[in-house]
Amino acid sequence: MAGIEHKQVDNDEAGMRLDRWFKVHYPGLGFGPLQKLLRSGQVRVDGGRAKSDTRLQPGQTVRIPPMDVDAKGVKAGPIAGRDLKHSPDGELLARMLLHEDDKVFVLNKPAGIAVQGGSGVTRHIDKMLEAWTSQKGEKPRLVHRLDRDTSGVLVIARTRGAAQKLTAAFRERDTKKTYWSVVKGVPKKREDKISTWLVKEQTPDGDRMRIARHGEDGADHAVSFYRVVEQAGQNFAWLEMEPYTGRTHQLRVHAAHIGHPILGDPKYFDADVNWSFPGGVQNRLHLHARHIDIPHPSGGRLRVTAPLPPHMVQTWNLFGFDQSAADGEDD
């Protein structure tokens, strides 16, 4: 339970009713509990008592008493599969929220939900963001992507101007994206650069990337870096990976290319018939967008780290990996 907070009303919240403002910022707080807080004077606007229909103005300060819901109404605990299917869009996004300011949202996307729509996709982040449309009618915008089965840091622009600057930063590679993965076996080189050409091909199981020849039609150059952080015997390794380019499935293809595919990868993990998944490790993709360092649209740098998803925490515990061994980038 948090202590007393004071939140300032944003410019795009001008004229918003106080109860609506609470619904946006604390969707987990019900109507009854809010009325009780208002009647008892625990919620105040610029130090004075307020009612649910009080109209807010930019720059005013709302006093938030200790409550059983966190900022944005975040429910405790990891997001389960049933939540991905059934939780309201605004509530689900709020539970993913890692960072927010007037220009940017940063989410910790769970594995299993697509960023954009496509064949067979019934729910995706881009559509869900309509729940966070501003008072001016501006819907937050995607500025980069993560694979459906990849979890972790996803940056969202709140305004058109912010989207332009963030998109430019990704295009000009003025970003540092750090991923954590667990791979089969241990690379001989403790750290290395992987440079190949990749081309997309159609398969019965959907699009798949493959290593291509230089100059092959449709092929794009892809460069990744990795280092071995820790290993579990000679059977598994925890890699910290950085994509210099941003090609589809790039890290997954590159890991397989060097002979160490990422655990649980449904497209690129191949093993001999006698190989089986170790007990206690879930057969789910072990690839997580751990950290991002990107220019903030308002100046300076935005640095955000996303906690590991439950299936990867389970693997870290089983193999005895120490998360602090690679967290120098979180400073």
Side-chain angles (χ1 to χ4, degrees):
M1 193 185 280
I4 294 172
E5 292 183 87
H6 293 86
K7 283 183 177 283
Q8 197 167 59
V9 178
D10 290 338
N11 289 332
D12 62 359
E13 295 172 333
M16 185 183 286
R17 281 173 53 119
L18 183 59
D19 54 1
R20 167 65 183 153
W21 185 90
F22 266 91
K23 188 66 178 173
V24 169
H25 289 271
Y26 297 89
L29 182 67
F31 175 80
L34 173 59
Q35 296 306 308
K36 185 175 180 181
L37 293 173
L38 289 168
R39 284 196 305 271
S40 61
Q42 295 183 68
V43 170
R44 291 176 176 262
V45 177
D46 283 348
R49 284 179 173 261
K51 296 181 179 180
S52 59
D53 61 355
T54 295
R55 297 283 177 177
L56 298 172
Q57 297 304 322
Q60 287 185 314
T61 300
V62 182
R63 178 191 188 272
I64 315 295
M67 298 188 299
D68 289 327
V69 292
D70 209 339
K72 286 285 180 188
V74 177
K75 224 161 137 185
I79 297 173
R82 62 182 176 275
D83 296 323
L84 291 181
K85 292 181 180 178
H86 304 300
S87 293
D89 289 348
E91 178 184 316
L92 192 56
L93 289 170
R95 291 180 64 187
M96 299 180 199
L97 194 65
L98 293 171
H99 168 89
E100 124 180 67
D101 58 49
D102 61 345
K103 302 291 185 185
V104 180
F105 292 121
V106 183
L107 306 180
N108 184 10
K109 186 190 85 68
I113 189 164
V115 171
Q116 284 185 300
S119 177
V121 174
T122 56
R123 192 176 200 190
H124 55 85
I125 300 291
D126 193 29
K127 175 70 173 172
M128 292 166 60
L129 287 170
E130 292 176 1
W132 280 1
T133 299
S134 72
Q135 289 294 101
K136 297 176 182 176
E138 195 165 23
K139 176 194 155 193
R141 294 168 169 82
L142 297 172
V143 292
H144 69 127
R145 315 283 182 267
L146 289 177
D147 294 344
R148 181 174 189 158
D149 293 322
T150 302
S151 58
V153 175
L154 184 68
V155 179
I156 309 290
R158 296 186 69 164
T159 66
R160 181 186 299 275
Q164 290 172 341
K165 291 181 179 179
L166 291 166
T167 301
F170 280 103
R171 184 176 61 246
E172 295 160 11
R173 299 184 182 133
D174 188 13
T175 63
K176 181 180 179 183
K177 294 178 286 182
T178 304
Y179 288 72
W180 283 5
S181 67
V182 179
V183 300
K184 178 176 176 282
V186 180
K188 289 179 182 176
K189 292 186 177 180
R190 302 301 291 182
E191 54 185 90
D192 202 6
K193 170 184 175 181
I194 307 168
S195 177
T196 70
W197 291 78
L198 299 180
V199 68
K200 184 181 292 186
E201 60 182 6
Q202 308 292 322
T203 74
D205 298 323
D207 289 345
R208 178 186 169 97
M209 305 299 289
R210 66 168 172 80
I211 303 298
R213 299 182 310 278
H214 184 191
E216 187 172 334
D217 284 349
D220 291 310
H221 191 211
V223 177
S224 305
F225 299 88
Y226 77 84
R227 73 179 180 98
V228 177
V229 183
E230 291 189 354
Q231 63 190 77
Q234 293 301 313
N235 298 317
F236 305 98
W238 161 17
L239 302 188
E240 183 178 82
M241 308 184 78
E242 292 181 17
Y244 177 71
T245 52
R247 311 305 180 198
T248 302
H249 298 173
Q250 175 177 318
L251 296 179
R252 298 163 61 182
V253 179
H254 275 172
H257 174 65
I258 63 171
H260 301 285
I262 297 173
L263 289 193
D265 191 329
K267 287 182 181 286
Y268 304 103
F269 187 93
D270 289 317
D272 62 65
V273 292
N274 296 319
W275 193 89
S276 60
F277 244 73
V281 175
Q282 295 184 43
N283 188 2
R284 303 182 66 186
L285 182 65
H286 282 60
L287 180 63
H288 176 70
R290 172 67 174 176
H291 185 78
I292 195 162
D293 179 338
I294 187 170
H296 192 283
S298 299
R301 306 285 299 187
L302 174 66
R303 298 179 177 91
V304 183
T305 298
L308 287 173
H311 73 280
M312 290 180 69
V313 171
Q314 184 177 340
T315 299
W316 256 243
N317 291 339
L318 184 73
F319 290 162
F321 293 157
D322 177 6
Q323 290 191 35
S324 65
D327 268 343
E329 80 276 4
D330 298 353
D331 295 339

